Every structure is written in C-alpha cells, then in structure tokens.
Amino acid sequence: MAIESSTSAQNALLIEDSWGDFVAGRYREGKSEAEFRNYDANVIPTVAEFYRENHKYQTLDFAVAKEREYFALDKGKKSIWEAAEFLNTLVDESDPDTDLTQIEHLLQTSEAIRKDGHPRWMVLTGFIHDLGKVLCLYGEPQWAVVGDTFPVGCAYSEKVVFPEYFSANPDFSVPEYQTKFGIYEPNCGLSNVHMSWGHDAYIGHVVKDYLPEEALYMLRYHSFYAWHQQGAYGHLLSKHDEEMLPWVLKFNPYDLYSKGAAKPNLKELKPYYDDLIAEFFPDKIDW
C-alpha cells in the first residue's frame, strides 16, 4: 500500500534547527482545563489532517507488522537520558494541548506526580511515558507514532476522535473486521488485542522488565482515550484490565493537565532524575 506522506521529508522537518524557534513561538503558559483536547477541525486543522492520515493507514496488517519489527528491540542500546534528548526537536502533530519540547512535557508530567507524593516508580513512569516517540527518529511518520490509540481488527468505536475518517481505512471494507468483536474473543483482554501502532506500545515493551505492572498499563494505554475516558471497548476487557484501569485513570490527569504548567528547569531537576533512573534501570537498555 502506498503511503501519501513522505517519511523522509517529515523527519527532515523534525530535526531542522528552526523547529526550536517554532515551538518557542507557539508555547503558551496558563492554559485552562476547559481548553484541553479541543479537536475541532476548524480550530486545529493540522490535528484534523493528522487524524485523517492516522485513521486511513492504521490497519491490522500495519499494526502487526510494526509489532513484529519493533518488539525485537534491535535498534541499539540507549540510556533513558539519551532517548529523552532525542525528542527535543520533535513536535507532536496530533496534540493540540502542548507546544513544549518533549523533554519539558516529560518533566512537567513527572514533577506533577512527584508533587502529589506518588511512589517513585510512578514519578519515573511520568518521565518516560513519551519516550517511545523515538520511533519518529527511526523513520516512522508521526501518524504511526503519536495520537489517540484504538483497537484494530474489530469495529471502530464512535468514541474514537474523528471516527468519520475511518471510512478511508481498507479495514473498513473487511466485514470480519467490522463486527463488534472482530478477530477477538469476548473479554479476551487488552494483552491479546492489537492496538493501532504508536509510542505507547513501544515504550511499554521497552521497559517491561524494569517497572511494575501498574506502570506498564499507564505506558501502554495512556493514549487509549476511547477506553479510559469514554468507556468504549468494554466487551474486550478482561477482569485484569478492569483492575488496572484505576491506575491508568490516576495517571491520565498528569499526562493531560500538567501541560499548562510553567516550563521546568532541567538543570535543577536533573540530579533527582539521575538518581531515580538509576534506581530502576541499568545504564543502557535495548530499544
């Protein structure tokens, strides 16, 4: 299947020096909660265009192929900081809520969790939750890295953002994939469901041997808004998924509503995070 957007051109833009100025120019502090997740296409046309591509190309075959490719963890060894520093030139086209650099958003999230006295593993989860976006720097287009995630291989929920765009997806014309359960069994559990490919699945797999199960759910499903915010896809959930949902819900406000906070001071915070990372991770891990 031919893909209309050029991966090489997109990623060339991501690493241009001018993107730092672009991010700084768009940044606004003090955003209210009422303004978050505004997906009106007339307000944020670039976000609408992003989801038009995302919903068109995220097929079951595509997701399965990317799982096979990236779950091999053969992209080399990196430290957590090296992965974070990769992201400073990346702008998330799917997200209408933040114009910070990626590492600033990571710190905003983790510092909000830390301020509220949550366990150290949860603070670290906040810091690493978007590191899977290094997929863009491996050559993946942003529609295959960021944005809301959803199950593939079964009927699309109307609660997924911009559901009308799914009509252009080849899977939309496959009858087996457009039934309630599709290729899955009732209450099979999210671990048995193929999600649209993105950074959630990747970072959850990268760190699966280092963090507790609650953290892995936060990482794997923090972009699955149709589930944890809209209550969709309950027919696929296992009892374990339902038990883990409160942890995903606990994490979500920090991911979402920390984005309006003032920019964090990396120099001041780095010693704390050096110590935190060393508590859970070796110097370098497989990516």
Side-chain angles (χ1 to χ4, degrees), residues 56-173:
K56 181 177 181 179
Y57 296 125
Q58 287 274 8
T59 64
L60 173 62
D61 286 347
F62 178 82
V64 170
K66 292 304 175 183
E67 290 171 358
R68 187 179 302 114
E69 177 181 357
Y70 286 105
F71 285 177
L73 298 182
D74 59 1
K75 303 301 181 184
K77 290 183 176 291
K78 301 182 187 69
S79 70
I80 295 297
W81 277 115
E82 285 171 338
E85 288 164 357
F86 256 139
L87 300 180
N88 274 343
T89 55
L90 177 63
V91 171
D92 182 342
E93 294 173 351
S94 76
D95 194 343
D97 298 335
T98 186
D99 298 307
L100 295 170
T101 64
Q102 295 297 318
I103 198 167
E104 287 169 337
H105 168 53
L106 297 177
L107 286 169
Q108 278 188 333
T109 304
S110 58
E111 281 298 287
I113 294 170
R114 179 185 174 193
K115 181 180 179 181
D116 285 350
H118 291 295
R120 283 170 65 84
W121 64 259
M122 187 170 169
V123 177
L124 182 57
T125 300
F127 182 69
I128 69 171
H129 78 281
D130 276 347
L131 291 188
K133 292 178 182 179
V134 296
L135 288 167
C136 280
L137 299 161
Y138 297 156
E140 297 297 336
Q142 286 206 29
W143 59 260
V145 179
V146 294
D148 290 24
T149 57
F150 49 87
V152 291
C154 62
Y156 306 113
S157 171
E158 287 295 313
K159 294 182 179 180
V160 178
V161 64
F162 292 123
E164 64 272 22
Y165 294 161
F166 284 122
S167 62
N169 190 302
D171 287 357
F172 192 78
S173 301

Side-chain angles (χ1 to χ4, degrees), residues 168-189:
N169 190 302
D171 287 357
F172 192 78
S173 301
V174 180
E176 180 187 7
Y177 298 165
Q178 295 310 311
T179 63
K180 180 177 181 179
F181 294 101
I183 65 172
Y184 308 111
E185 296 294 327
N187 305 113
C188 61

